[in-house]
PDB file of all heavy atoms in Angstrom:
ATOM      1  N   VAL A   1       0.804  -1.177   0.002  1.00 84.00           N
ATOM      2  CA  VAL A   1      -0.006   0.019   0.017  1.00 84.00           C
ATOM      3  C   VAL A   1       0.869   1.259   0.000  1.00 84.00           C
ATOM      4  O   VAL A   1       0.569   2.193  -0.712  1.00 84.00           O
ATOM      5  CB  VAL A   1      -0.989  -0.017   1.190  1.00 84.00           C
ATOM      6  CG1 VAL A   1      -1.694   1.283   1.366  1.00 84.00           C
ATOM      7  CG2 VAL A   1      -1.978  -1.162   1.033  1.00 84.00           C
ATOM      8  N   ALA A   2       1.955   1.268   0.746  1.00 86.00           N
ATOM      9  CA  ALA A   2       2.856   2.423   0.768  1.00 86.00           C
ATOM     10  C   ALA A   2       3.478   2.586  -0.612  1.00 86.00           C
ATOM     11  O   ALA A   2       3.739   3.730  -1.067  1.00 86.00           O
ATOM     12  CB  ALA A   2       3.951   2.227   1.838  1.00 86.00           C
ATOM     13  N   HIS A   3       3.729   1.501  -1.349  1.00 86.00           N
ATOM     14  CA  HIS A   3       4.257   1.584  -2.685  1.00 86.00           C
ATOM     15  C   HIS A   3       3.342   2.353  -3.599  1.00 86.00           C
ATOM     16  O   HIS A   3       3.761   3.108  -4.467  1.00 86.00           O
ATOM     17  CB  HIS A   3       4.577   0.196  -3.180  1.00 86.00           C
ATOM     18  CG  HIS A   3       5.252   0.141  -4.563  1.00 86.00           C
ATOM     19  ND1 HIS A   3       6.481   0.669  -4.758  1.00 86.00           N
ATOM     20  CD2 HIS A   3       4.847  -0.264  -5.766  1.00 86.00           C
ATOM     21  CE1 HIS A   3       6.826   0.534  -6.039  1.00 86.00           C
ATOM     22  NE2 HIS A   3       5.834  -0.031  -6.701  1.00 86.00           N
ATOM     23  N   PHE A   4       2.015   2.123  -3.418  1.00 82.00           N
ATOM     24  CA  PHE A   4       1.028   2.891  -4.202  1.00 82.00           C
ATOM     25  C   PHE A   4       1.191   4.371  -3.872  1.00 82.00           C
ATOM     26  O   PHE A   4       1.242   5.204  -4.792  1.00 82.00           O
ATOM     27  CB  PHE A   4      -0.408   2.430  -3.784  1.00 82.00           C
ATOM     28  CG  PHE A   4      -0.988   1.404  -4.690  1.00 82.00           C
ATOM     29  CD1 PHE A   4      -0.588   0.043  -4.549  1.00 82.00           C
ATOM     30  CD2 PHE A   4      -1.950   1.687  -5.625  1.00 82.00           C
ATOM     31  CE1 PHE A   4      -1.125  -0.920  -5.338  1.00 82.00           C
ATOM     32  CE2 PHE A   4      -2.513   0.710  -6.404  1.00 82.00           C
ATOM     33  CZ  PHE A   4      -2.082  -0.598  -6.292  1.00 82.00           C
ATOM     34  N   GLU A   5       1.261   4.678  -2.583  1.00 84.00           N
ATOM     35  CA  GLU A   5       1.334   6.088  -2.194  1.00 84.00           C
ATOM     36  C   GLU A   5       2.641   6.763  -2.618  1.00 84.00           C
ATOM     37  O   GLU A   5       2.652   7.937  -3.002  1.00 84.00           O
ATOM     38  CB  GLU A   5       1.202   6.199  -0.659  1.00 84.00           C
ATOM     39  CG  GLU A   5      -0.116   5.684  -0.134  1.00 84.00           C
ATOM     40  CD  GLU A   5      -0.121   5.487   1.368  1.00 84.00           C
ATOM     41  OE1 GLU A   5       0.960   5.467   2.008  1.00 84.00           O
ATOM     42  OE2 GLU A   5      -1.229   5.299   1.911  1.00 84.00           O
ATOM     43  N   ASP A   6       3.723   6.039  -2.481  1.00 87.00           N
ATOM     44  CA  ASP A   6       5.057   6.650  -2.696  1.00 87.00           C
ATOM     45  C   ASP A   6       5.503   6.636  -4.123  1.00 87.00           C
ATOM     46  O   ASP A   6       6.374   7.418  -4.487  1.00 87.00           O
ATOM     47  CB  ASP A   6       6.099   5.882  -1.860  1.00 87.00           C
ATOM     48  CG  ASP A   6       5.868   5.984  -0.326  1.00 87.00           C
ATOM     49  OD1 ASP A   6       5.136   6.915   0.065  1.00 87.00           O
ATOM     50  OD2 ASP A   6       6.410   5.108   0.396  1.00 87.00           O
ATOM     51  N   LYS A   7       4.950   5.753  -4.949  1.00 88.00           N
ATOM     52  CA  LYS A   7       5.461   5.683  -6.318  1.00 88.00           C
ATOM     53  C   LYS A   7       4.373   5.595  -7.391  1.00 88.00           C
ATOM     54  O   LYS A   7       4.282   6.416  -8.253  1.00 88.00           O
ATOM     55  CB  LYS A   7       6.412   4.495  -6.494  1.00 88.00           C
ATOM     56  CG  LYS A   7       7.021   4.418  -7.882  1.00 88.00           C
ATOM     57  CD  LYS A   7       8.079   3.379  -7.970  1.00 88.00           C
ATOM     58  CE  LYS A   7       8.704   3.440  -9.367  1.00 88.00           C
ATOM     59  NZ  LYS A   7       9.716   2.449  -9.563  1.00 88.00           N
ATOM     60  N   LEU A   8       3.530   4.566  -7.285  1.00 87.00           N
ATOM     61  CA  LEU A   8       2.585   4.308  -8.360  1.00 87.00           C
ATOM     62  C   LEU A   8       1.607   5.474  -8.616  1.00 87.00           C
ATOM     63  O   LEU A   8       1.341   5.763  -9.810  1.00 87.00           O
ATOM     64  CB  LEU A   8       1.784   3.035  -8.115  1.00 87.00           C
ATOM     65  CG  LEU A   8       2.619   1.730  -8.018  1.00 87.00           C
ATOM     66  CD1 LEU A   8       1.746   0.559  -7.687  1.00 87.00           C
ATOM     67  CD2 LEU A   8       3.402   1.490  -9.303  1.00 87.00           C
ATOM     68  N   LEU A   9       1.148   6.119  -7.626  1.00 85.00           N
ATOM     69  CA  LEU A   9       0.124   7.173  -7.786  1.00 85.00           C
ATOM     70  C   LEU A   9       0.825   8.492  -8.288  1.00 85.00           C
ATOM     71  O   LEU A   9       0.129   9.416  -8.646  1.00 85.00           O
ATOM     72  CB  LEU A   9      -0.653   7.476  -6.488  1.00 85.00           C
ATOM     73  CG  LEU A   9      -1.471   6.276  -6.038  1.00 85.00           C
ATOM     74  CD1 LEU A   9      -2.155   6.615  -4.669  1.00 85.00           C
ATOM     75  CD2 LEU A   9      -2.548   5.897  -7.066  1.00 85.00           C
ATOM     76  N   LEU A  10       2.122   8.486  -8.341  1.00 86.00           N
ATOM     77  CA  LEU A  10       2.860   9.700  -8.766  1.00 86.00           C
ATOM     78  C   LEU A  10       3.535   9.580 -10.118  1.00 86.00           C
ATOM     79  O   LEU A  10       4.200  10.524 -10.582  1.00 86.00           O
ATOM     80  CB  LEU A  10       3.973  10.026  -7.694  1.00 86.00           C
ATOM     81  CG  LEU A  10       3.477  10.195  -6.282  1.00 86.00           C
ATOM     82  CD1 LEU A  10       4.667  10.387  -5.337  1.00 86.00           C
ATOM     83  CD2 LEU A  10       2.495  11.316  -6.149  1.00 86.00           C
ATOM     84  N   LEU A  11       3.382   8.447 -10.789  1.00 87.00           N
ATOM     85  CA  LEU A  11       4.077   8.175 -12.058  1.00 87.00           C
ATOM     86  C   LEU A  11       3.739   9.198 -13.180  1.00 87.00           C
ATOM     87  O   LEU A  11       4.619   9.587 -13.913  1.00 87.00           O
ATOM     88  CB  LEU A  11       3.777   6.776 -12.521  1.00 87.00           C
ATOM     89  CG  LEU A  11       4.510   5.651 -11.777  1.00 87.00           C
ATOM     90  CD1 LEU A  11       4.029   4.303 -12.260  1.00 87.00           C
ATOM     91  CD2 LEU A  11       6.020   5.750 -11.905  1.00 87.00           C
ATOM     92  N   ALA A  12       2.476   9.636 -13.244  1.00 86.00           N
ATOM     93  CA  ALA A  12       2.122  10.557 -14.275  1.00 86.00           C
ATOM     94  C   ALA A  12       2.922  11.817 -14.271  1.00 86.00           C
ATOM     95  O   ALA A  12       3.262  12.395 -15.301  1.00 86.00           O
ATOM     96  CB  ALA A  12       0.602  10.870 -14.174  1.00 86.00           C
ATOM     97  N   ASP A  13       3.334  12.279 -13.056  1.00 86.00           N
ATOM     98  CA  ASP A  13       4.105  13.534 -12.954  1.00 86.00           C
ATOM     99  C   ASP A  13       5.487  13.378 -13.605  1.00 86.00           C
ATOM    100  O   ASP A  13       6.111  14.395 -13.975  1.00 86.00           O
ATOM    101  CB  ASP A  13       4.279  13.888 -11.479  1.00 86.00           C
ATOM    102  CG  ASP A  13       2.943  14.188 -10.808  1.00 86.00           C
ATOM    103  OD1 ASP A  13       2.028  14.535 -11.523  1.00 86.00           O
ATOM    104  OD2 ASP A  13       2.879  14.111  -9.578  1.00 86.00           O
ATOM    105  N   GLY A  14       6.014  12.150 -13.737  1.00 91.00           N
ATOM    106  CA  GLY A  14       7.344  11.962 -14.279  1.00 91.00           C
ATOM    107  C   GLY A  14       7.388  11.664 -15.752  1.00 91.00           C
ATOM    108  O   GLY A  14       8.507  11.486 -16.286  1.00 91.00           O
ATOM    109  N   MET A  15       6.289  11.618 -16.422  1.00 93.00           N
ATOM    110  CA  MET A  15       6.282  11.310 -17.841  1.00 93.00           C
ATOM    111  C   MET A  15       6.830  12.522 -18.640  1.00 93.00           C
ATOM    112  O   MET A  15       6.504  13.665 -18.316  1.00 93.00           O
ATOM    113  CB  MET A  15       4.888  10.989 -18.333  1.00 93.00           C
ATOM    114  CG  MET A  15       4.267   9.711 -17.686  1.00 93.00           C
ATOM    115  SD  MET A  15       5.163   8.222 -18.107  1.00 93.00           S
ATOM    116  CE  MET A  15       5.812   7.785 -16.492  1.00 93.00           C
ATOM    117  N   SER A  16       7.600  12.188 -19.679  1.00 94.00           N
ATOM    118  CA  SER A  16       8.247  13.293 -20.405  1.00 94.00           C
ATOM    119  C   SER A  16       7.534  13.656 -21.670  1.00 94.00           C
ATOM    120  O   SER A  16       7.877  14.678 -22.250  1.00 94.00           O
ATOM    121  CB  SER A  16       9.707  12.921 -20.712  1.00 94.00           C
ATOM    122  OG  SER A  16       9.734  11.720 -21.474  1.00 94.00           O
ATOM    123  N   THR A  17       6.592  12.904 -22.110  1.00 94.00           N
ATOM    124  CA  THR A  17       5.813  13.266 -23.349  1.00 94.00           C
ATOM    125  C   THR A  17       4.367  13.499 -22.989  1.00 94.00           C
ATOM    126  O   THR A  17       3.891  12.969 -21.999  1.00 94.00           O
ATOM    127  CB  THR A  17       5.917  12.152 -24.393  1.00 94.00           C
ATOM    128  OG1 THR A  17       5.240  10.970 -23.946  1.00 94.00           O
ATOM    129  CG2 THR A  17       7.352  11.837 -24.731  1.00 94.00           C
ATOM    130  N   GLN A  18       3.711  14.262 -23.812  1.00 92.00           N
ATOM    131  CA  GLN A  18       2.256  14.487 -23.599  1.00 92.00           C
ATOM    132  C   GLN A  18       1.484  13.178 -23.648  1.00 92.00           C
ATOM    133  O   GLN A  18       0.634  12.964 -22.816  1.00 92.00           O
ATOM    134  CB  GLN A  18       1.740  15.453 -24.679  1.00 92.00           C
ATOM    135  CG  GLN A  18       0.266  15.792 -24.568  1.00 92.00           C
ATOM    136  CD  GLN A  18      -0.003  16.584 -23.265  1.00 92.00           C
ATOM    137  OE1 GLN A  18       0.864  17.215 -22.678  1.00 92.00           O
ATOM    138  NE2 GLN A  18      -1.279  16.577 -22.849  1.00 92.00           N
ATOM    139  N   ALA A  19       1.785  12.297 -24.662  1.00 94.00           N
ATOM    140  CA  ALA A  19       1.098  11.046 -24.740  1.00 94.00           C
ATOM    141  C   ALA A  19       1.334  10.146 -23.481  1.00 94.00           C
ATOM    142  O   ALA A  19       0.395   9.544 -22.989  1.00 94.00           O
ATOM    143  CB  ALA A  19       1.571  10.258 -25.985  1.00 94.00           C
ATOM    144  N   GLY A  20       2.580  10.171 -22.989  1.00 93.00           N
ATOM    145  CA  GLY A  20       2.887   9.423 -21.771  1.00 93.00           C
ATOM    146  C   GLY A  20       2.098   9.981 -20.554  1.00 93.00           C
ATOM    147  O   GLY A  20       1.594   9.210 -19.734  1.00 93.00           O
ATOM    148  N   ARG A  21       2.014  11.279 -20.452  1.00 91.00           N
ATOM    149  CA  ARG A  21       1.245  11.918 -19.337  1.00 91.00           C
ATOM    150  C   ARG A  21      -0.214  11.559 -19.396  1.00 91.00           C
ATOM    151  O   ARG A  21      -0.846  11.322 -18.398  1.00 91.00           O
ATOM    152  CB  ARG A  21       1.462  13.381 -19.303  1.00 91.00           C
ATOM    153  CG  ARG A  21       2.842  13.809 -18.792  1.00 91.00           C
ATOM    154  CD  ARG A  21       2.998  15.324 -18.637  1.00 91.00           C
ATOM    155  NE  ARG A  21       2.941  16.033 -19.894  1.00 91.00           N
ATOM    156  CZ  ARG A  21       3.972  16.245 -20.670  1.00 91.00           C
ATOM    157  NH1 ARG A  21       5.218  15.759 -20.296  1.00 91.00           N
ATOM    158  NH2 ARG A  21       3.920  16.928 -21.814  1.00 91.00           N
ATOM    159  N   ILE A  22      -0.785  11.583 -20.636  1.00 92.00           N
ATOM    160  CA  ILE A  22      -2.211  11.266 -20.801  1.00 92.00           C
ATOM    161  C   ILE A  22      -2.484   9.793 -20.370  1.00 92.00           C
ATOM    162  O   ILE A  22      -3.405   9.505 -19.628  1.00 92.00           O
ATOM    163  CB  ILE A  22      -2.667  11.521 -22.242  1.00 92.00           C
ATOM    164  CG1 ILE A  22      -2.688  13.048 -22.500  1.00 92.00           C
ATOM    165  CG2 ILE A  22      -4.025  10.931 -22.500  1.00 92.00           C
ATOM    166  CD1 ILE A  22      -2.838  13.407 -23.962  1.00 92.00           C
ATOM    167  N   LEU A  23      -1.671   8.904 -20.928  1.00 93.00           N
ATOM    168  CA  LEU A  23      -1.839   7.472 -20.591  1.00 93.00           C
ATOM    169  C   LEU A  23      -1.606   7.229 -19.089  1.00 93.00           C
ATOM    170  O   LEU A  23      -2.426   6.533 -18.472  1.00 93.00           O
ATOM    171  CB  LEU A  23      -0.885   6.659 -21.415  1.00 93.00           C
ATOM    172  CG  LEU A  23      -0.942   5.175 -21.259  1.00 93.00           C
ATOM    173  CD1 LEU A  23      -2.317   4.645 -21.654  1.00 93.00           C
ATOM    174  CD2 LEU A  23       0.110   4.505 -22.158  1.00 93.00           C
ATOM    175  N   ALA A  24      -0.561   7.806 -18.531  1.00 92.00           N
ATOM    176  CA  ALA A  24      -0.315   7.650 -17.149  1.00 92.00           C
ATOM    177  C   ALA A  24      -1.388   8.243 -16.234  1.00 92.00           C
ATOM    178  O   ALA A  24      -1.704   7.701 -15.201  1.00 92.00           O
ATOM    179  CB  ALA A  24       1.084   8.264 -16.784  1.00 92.00           C
ATOM    180  N   ALA A  25      -1.981   9.360 -16.689  1.00 91.00           N
ATOM    181  CA  ALA A  25      -3.065   9.969 -15.923  1.00 91.00           C
ATOM    182  C   ALA A  25      -4.270   9.038 -15.886  1.00 91.00           C
ATOM    183  O   ALA A  25      -4.938   8.850 -14.833  1.00 91.00           O
ATOM    184  CB  ALA A  25      -3.447  11.317 -16.442  1.00 91.00           C
ATOM    185  N   ARG A  26      -4.593   8.425 -17.012  1.00 93.00           N
ATOM    186  CA  ARG A  26      -5.747   7.549 -17.099  1.00 93.00           C
ATOM    187  C   ARG A  26      -5.479   6.285 -16.238  1.00 93.00           C
ATOM    188  O   ARG A  26      -6.358   5.903 -15.464  1.00 93.00           O
ATOM    189  CB  ARG A  26      -5.988   7.135 -18.541  1.00 93.00           C
ATOM    190  CG  ARG A  26      -7.289   6.330 -18.697  1.00 93.00           C
ATOM    191  CD  ARG A  26      -7.636   6.129 -20.145  1.00 93.00           C
ATOM    192  NE  ARG A  26      -6.642   5.306 -20.839  1.00 93.00           N
ATOM    193  CZ  ARG A  26      -6.109   5.515 -21.994  1.00 93.00           C
ATOM    194  NH1 ARG A  26      -6.392   6.623 -22.679  1.00 93.00           N
ATOM    195  NH2 ARG A  26      -5.245   4.711 -22.526  1.00 93.00           N
ATOM    196  N   ARG A  27      -4.362   5.736 -16.348  1.00 93.00           N
ATOM    197  CA  ARG A  27      -4.013   4.529 -15.515  1.00 93.00           C
ATOM    198  C   ARG A  27      -3.905   4.888 -14.094  1.00 93.00           C
ATOM    199  O   ARG A  27      -4.303   4.120 -13.208  1.00 93.00           O
ATOM    200  CB  ARG A  27      -2.730   3.901 -16.044  1.00 93.00           C
ATOM    201  CG  ARG A  27      -2.983   3.263 -17.381  1.00 93.00           C
ATOM    202  CD  ARG A  27      -1.708   2.607 -17.906  1.00 93.00           C
ATOM    203  NE  ARG A  27      -1.962   1.993 -19.209  1.00 93.00           N
ATOM    204  CZ  ARG A  27      -1.064   1.490 -19.945  1.00 93.00           C
ATOM    205  NH1 ARG A  27       0.224   1.500 -19.634  1.00 93.00           N
ATOM    206  NH2 ARG A  27      -1.407   0.909 -21.135  1.00 93.00           N
TER     207      ARG A  27
END
């Protein structure tokens, strides 16, 4: 559960392309 909080839920912020950010935001 901490892994969700510390990493998985924050992945969208680290995407470098617009397409990556969109996909990561949806997931």
